[in-house]
Amino acid sequence: AFELLDFKNAVKEFQELVEKLVTQKTKEKLGLYIKDNDEIDYEKFYAATQALFGAEVKDYNVKAFFWKISNNPDVRIEWCEIFGCFLGESDGMFPQLKEENMVFLLPKKKQITHTVVKRDDAIKGIVKVPNLDFIVTSSQKGVLTVFNKQKILFYFHQDTAWITGCDFLPQLKCVVAVTERTIIIWNYKSQNICFVIKPMENCLLCVCTVTMPKQVAKDTILMGDDKGYVYLLTVTSDHLALKKCKSKKESQLQVLDSKTFHIVKRKLHDDWVMKVQYISDLNCFGSCSSDSICSFVLDDIKRLEDNLPVKEFSVPKGVNAFTYCRKAKLIVTGG
């Protein structure tokens, strides 16, 4: 009886914590929130939840709960979700689907499921590779996928860290993805071969490939993190020893020390870097952030290797996304 009463009190305190978080996120959406010492970020939310319920709650469930509220403060939530339990279906699109791992949705008549797909997973990145006529996707909980006309290839990265983005390396013919602390390079033509570059100092949030036609047997990668840094990393076939690995049939996961790579980085923003992109038509890279002072940067990629001023733009409440239209020669940003 004492344990039951104690648990009910913990649930009550947790609901009060969630109410404060919802109020904060609602005000942030409306632009009415002013940061103070009582601000609830993920670290505070996780610590408070752990203090209330102990080891019974798992990191990924707390993280999913927090970001669910952050993305939509009005969404229906239940306290039991932090234990991985869900009382009802929130999406009525496919009532006939009882399993919750249907994250790959194709046209109505065809859906893709796979045994490695985790519960309540979500697609975080999707990239079309026109030259090879296929699509690369990455899911939050570690599934990398290559879709082509002949077959579908999967790789499952068994790590608790969430994947935050992906792209394709045209010279090395590999898929690149980033997690909170690592860089993943998957040789999709040999499904069992994967390289993991770690550790990274900060949480990586986005990634893209720098397309340079003159490069042979190497690719350059742009990344952004949660501290406002933009990274530049060149990976060669020698780094990955791809030729050597092709002859090996057994499953391989090779961990590479990030200190052995020359990684250039420069702090361009004072908040999260939401997206990076290399615009080959302009010979420039772009990066955007929720930072209101330096919201969008568009400049030569050489600026990452020096301390010269960059072309930057300020937008109230920052920039969350941008894209370039070749035909109109315009860049469009969304805040």
Side-chain angles (χ1 to χ4, degrees), residues 26-281:
T26 302
K27 288 182 177 180
E28 285 180 5
K29 293 280 185 183
L30 298 173
L32 303 174
Y33 183 72
I34 301 174
K35 292 185 178 182
D36 55 26
N37 294 332
D38 295 328
E39 180 187 6
I40 303 174
D41 56 13
Y42 173 70
E43 285 75 16
K44 284 186 179 179
F45 183 80
Y46 177 75
T49 305
Q50 280 279 324
L52 290 171
F53 299 108
E56 292 298 319
V57 291
K58 305 302 179 185
D59 295 7
Y60 53 84
N61 285 327
V62 178
K63 190 183 296 183
F65 190 94
F66 180 85
W67 288 113
K68 184 177 181 180
I69 295 174
S70 298
N71 292 328
N72 183 8
D74 299 324
V75 71
R76 177 178 174 268
I77 51 174
E78 300 286 349
W79 62 266
C80 55
E81 291 181 35
I82 61 163
F83 296 97
C85 302
F86 301 84
L87 296 183
E89 295 291 337
S90 59
D91 189 355
M93 279 181 60
F94 301 99
Q96 72 276 19
L97 302 180
K98 299 301 181 183
E99 297 181 25
E100 294 182 349
N101 61 359
M102 300 290 195
V103 296
F104 298 107
L105 301 180
L106 264 67
K108 293 179 182 178
K109 294 182 180 179
K110 184 178 179 183
Q111 293 184 336
I112 298 172
T113 61
H114 198 271
T115 54
V116 300
V117 179
K118 288 188 175 181
R119 182 176 179 176
D120 296 311
D121 206 350
I123 298 295
K124 293 299 291 182
I126 181 166
V127 178
K128 185 177 181 181
V129 185
N131 295 340
L132 299 176
D133 194 24
F134 63 68
I135 292 173
V136 177
T137 68
S138 62
S139 79
Q140 195 170 57
K141 295 184 179 179
V143 182
L144 299 178
T145 314
V146 170
F147 296 86
N148 59 27
K149 292 180 179 178
Q150 288 76 33
K151 57 183 177 179
I152 300 162
L153 305 175
F154 284 91
Y155 169 75
F156 178 49
H157 185 60
Q158 298 186 17
D159 197 333
T160 56
W162 284 1
I163 288 182
T164 52
C166 67
D167 207 340
F168 184 74
L169 304 178
Q171 298 298 330
L172 298 178
K173 299 293 188 295
C174 291
V175 174
V176 61
V178 291
T179 77
E180 296 162 326
R181 286 292 185 271
T182 62
I183 303 166
I184 303 168
I185 298 178
W186 172 38
N187 183 7
Y188 73 96
K189 291 182 291 183
S190 300
Q191 294 183 51
N192 294 328
I193 299 176
C194 186
F195 302 88
V196 176
I197 303 171
K198 66 177 185 180
M200 298 301 290
E201 185 178 353
N202 301 323
C203 177
L204 299 175
L205 300 176
C206 50
V207 62
C208 80
T209 303
V210 178
T211 52
M212 294 183 178
K214 296 181 180 179
Q215 288 189 156
V216 178
K218 65 178 181 180
D219 280 295
T220 303
I221 304 166
L222 273 172
M223 297 169 288
D225 71 13
D226 62 341
K227 303 297 182 184
Y229 285 93
V230 175
Y231 299 77
L232 189 65
L233 166 64
T234 299
V235 180
T236 69
S237 57
D238 291 335
H239 285 135
L240 307 181
L242 291 178
K243 292 181 180 179
K244 182 179 179 181
C245 291
K246 285 178 182 177
S247 62
K248 297 184 180 180
K249 295 182 180 180
E250 64 270 15
S251 176
Q252 290 194 17
L253 176 64
Q254 297 193 18
V255 178
L256 307 177
D257 188 350
S258 60
K259 293 179 182 178
T260 61
F261 291 81
H262 178 59
I263 303 177
V264 175
K265 71 173 184 177
R266 181 174 177 181
K267 187 173 176 65
L268 296 177
H269 308 278
D270 287 327
D271 210 331
W272 290 10
V273 180
M274 307 301 291
K275 180 179 178 179
V276 288
Q277 182 180 344
Y278 183 74
I279 305 173
S280 54
D281 288 10

